[in-house]
Amino acid sequence: MNAGDVGEFGLISRIVARVGPSAGVVTGIGDDAAVTALSPGMQLVTSTDMLLEDVHFRRAWHDPFLLGRKSLAVSVSDLAAMGAVPRWALLSLAIPADLPLEFIDEFTRGFLSLAAEHSVVLIGGDTCASRSGLVLSVTIMGEQLPGRIVRRSGALPGDEIWVTGTLGDAALGLRLLEDGFDSAQPPKSAQLANSAEPLNNTADLACPLNGAEGLVSRLLDPSPRAAAGIALAVAGVASAMIDVSDGILADFGHIAKLSAVGGCLQLEQLPLSENFLAVAPLDMAIRQQLALSGGEDYELCFTAAPAHHKKIIDLMKKSGIQATPVGIVTSLPGVDVLRTDGSCYNPPVKGFNHFT
Ligand code: ADP
Ligand code: MG
């Protein structure tokens, strides 16, 4: 059976049936609007994101369960970047009539699995038919005390620039998929060799496809750094923060612009994963380009006074997440990328932009 066979209300009830009772929600799904109560003294922090078929995801690559998880993960990541605690979500779907019901069921299961991991309650949404592909829109609401919310605009000259986790993994995962790697199959170097436009000459791969699964999973099932973002906000150590969705160069650029500062990023200090080092082409230029400007890592980039250095290392250890200092905020506008020898690196591509 497909979406068209059960209609709007059939679809809504399939989704709603999977939402358990939710403590703390005054009026949940079913009325004209949901009613919730913020914790005393908290401010509401809200963000919304759209995921469009063939723009943000491909149905051929994205298992519906993981797509459900990712559609919420990108929103949890936005709240993490503000240091806010995620609480509630709205899910709006435009569904092609020929979409199989199993797809919707698996999508919902995935969405609710990530929701449960972050204590987010689905409190409503909208469902309609689409004539051109699947469209997903998620609105997330969270809360934080006014003095703890971390904005893009607070970076000061002399602050250290930090990033959580590792960079470039999702972008390399995307390249592997584009080059024909099939994540449902066990990794085989043959998959690359057979692709129409190989990633590179297979001889250029340091260790063909070891770790490829891990890279593809960074793209298809990202882990938003909620615990890290909230811990930084509560400790009051981050002066500015953003989530890295378009590459650290572009995303730190947003912090710099809104803080009216500049920055120096140290190319060789960008944290790279073992999977990335195992699979990435040996060509250092491509590797650095992916780490600087590859999208969709959903790590956090933040700035902090050098006095907080040790505290940050300890805090991140407690959140189970690695954080690496990758540069310094400067007073002159513009973001420079420097090599260890002090020379300037000129990146060929700055970051992802939907309209360029
Ligand atoms: P309205 O006509 O007022 O827009 P709907 O019939 O669209 O109401 O929705 C009925 C109820 O189901 C509402 O509470 C709405 O929030 C909820 N709902 C609709 N679509 C979804 C969805 N995709 N996910 C979660 N809740 C949904
Ligand atoms: Mg509606």
Side-chain angles (χ1 to χ4, degrees):
M1 285 232 287
N2 296 332
D5 300 322
V6 297
E8 178 186 341
F9 297 106
L11 289 169
I12 294 176
S13 52
R14 283 186 100 85
I15 296 168
V16 170
R18 289 181 159 75
V19 180
S22 31
V25 175
V26 183
T27 304
I29 293 174
D31 216 311
D32 292 304
V35 183
T36 56
L38 289 173
S39 309
M42 296 282 202
Q43 284 183 332
L44 181 65
V45 184
T46 312
S47 172
T48 195
D49 269 298
M50 294 176 78
L51 275 86
L52 279 70
E53 183 169 352
D54 295 332
V55 176
H56 300 96
F57 66 91
R58 291 201 206 167
R59 252 193 275 166
W61 292 346
H62 227 132
D63 163 87
F65 179 82
L66 296 183
L67 184 62
R69 289 179 61 83
K70 183 167 178 176
S71 66
L72 180 60
V74 299
S75 294
V76 171
S77 178
D78 278 325
L79 288 201
M82 305 294 288
V85 179
R87 299 286 311 270
W88 310 291
L90 298 165
L91 169 63
S92 296
L93 305 169
I95 301 174
D98 63 357
L99 191 74
L101 286 179
E102 299 86 72
F103 187 103
I104 294 153
D105 293 346
E106 277 301 284
F107 173 89
T108 307
R109 209 168 61 80
F111 183 97
L112 294 174
S113 77
L114 195 112
E117 285 165 25
H118 292 278
S119 305
V120 170
V121 182
L122 180 63
I123 55 168
D126 199 23
T127 305
C128 53
S130 166
R131 293 195 188 147
S132 54
L134 179 61
V135 178
L136 315 165
S137 167
V138 174
T139 299
I140 194 161
M141 284 156 278
E143 60 182 18
Q144 189 48 276
L145 290 172
R148 287 182 174 171
I149 293 170
V150 188
R151 296 174 173 79
R152 295 179 177 183
S153 55
L156 293 170
D159 282 355
E160 289 182 295
I161 305 168
W162 293 78
V163 71
T164 60
T166 56
L167 297 172
D169 293 334
L172 185 53
L174 176 63
R175 286 191 71 157
L176 290 169
L177 288 175
E178 283 173 345
D179 289 342
F181 174 74
D182 181 352
S183 62
Q185 302 291 323
K188 292 192 240 99
S189 52
Q191 289 186 12
L192 260 194
N194 291 339
S195 71
E197 239 183 77
L199 177 68
N200 220 314
N201 189 323
T202 14
D204 288 349
L205 294 173
C207 177
L209 296 181
N210 271 356
E213 286 289 335
L215 296 170
V216 168
S217 129
R218 281 291 307 266
L219 175 77
L220 300 182
D221 189 19
S223 303
R225 304 305 187 193
I230 295 164
L232 290 164
V234 169
V237 289
S239 52
M241 186 149 60
I242 190 167
D243 65 328
V244 183
S245 53
D246 298 329
I248 190 167
L249 183 59
D251 287 319
F252 174 73
H254 296 310
I255 287 186
K257 200 162 187 194
L258 282 167
S259 302
V261 294
C264 277
L265 290 170
Q266 294 290 337
L267 191 59
E268 281 99 349
Q269 281 175 25
L270 299 180
L272 309 175
S273 72
E274 278 176 28
N275 286 341
F276 183 90
L277 290 171
V279 175
L282 283 179
D283 186 321
M284 206 48 190
I286 295 178
R287 199 183 279 193
Q288 289 166 339
Q289 183 56 35
L290 289 173
L292 262 183
S293 298
E296 303 218 76
D297 283 319
Y298 297 102
E299 295 293 353
L300 294 174
C301 171
F302 59 95
T303 57
H308 295 315
H309 189 101
K310 198 183 163 297
K311 191 164 186 192
I312 288 168
I313 301 271
D314 292 345
L315 265 182
M316 293 296 100
K317 238 183 227 158
K318 268 188 221 145
S319 322
I321 285 164
Q322 158 201 336
T324 311
V326 294
I328 295 287
V329 178
T330 59
S331 51
L332 286 178
V335 182
D336 292 323
V337 183
L338 298 181
R339 296 198 182 86
T340 346
D341 64 9
S343 64
C344 220
Y345 170 83
N346 254 330
V349 184
K350 302 245 163 167
F352 182 75
N353 181 322
H354 272 280
F355 291 95
T356 55

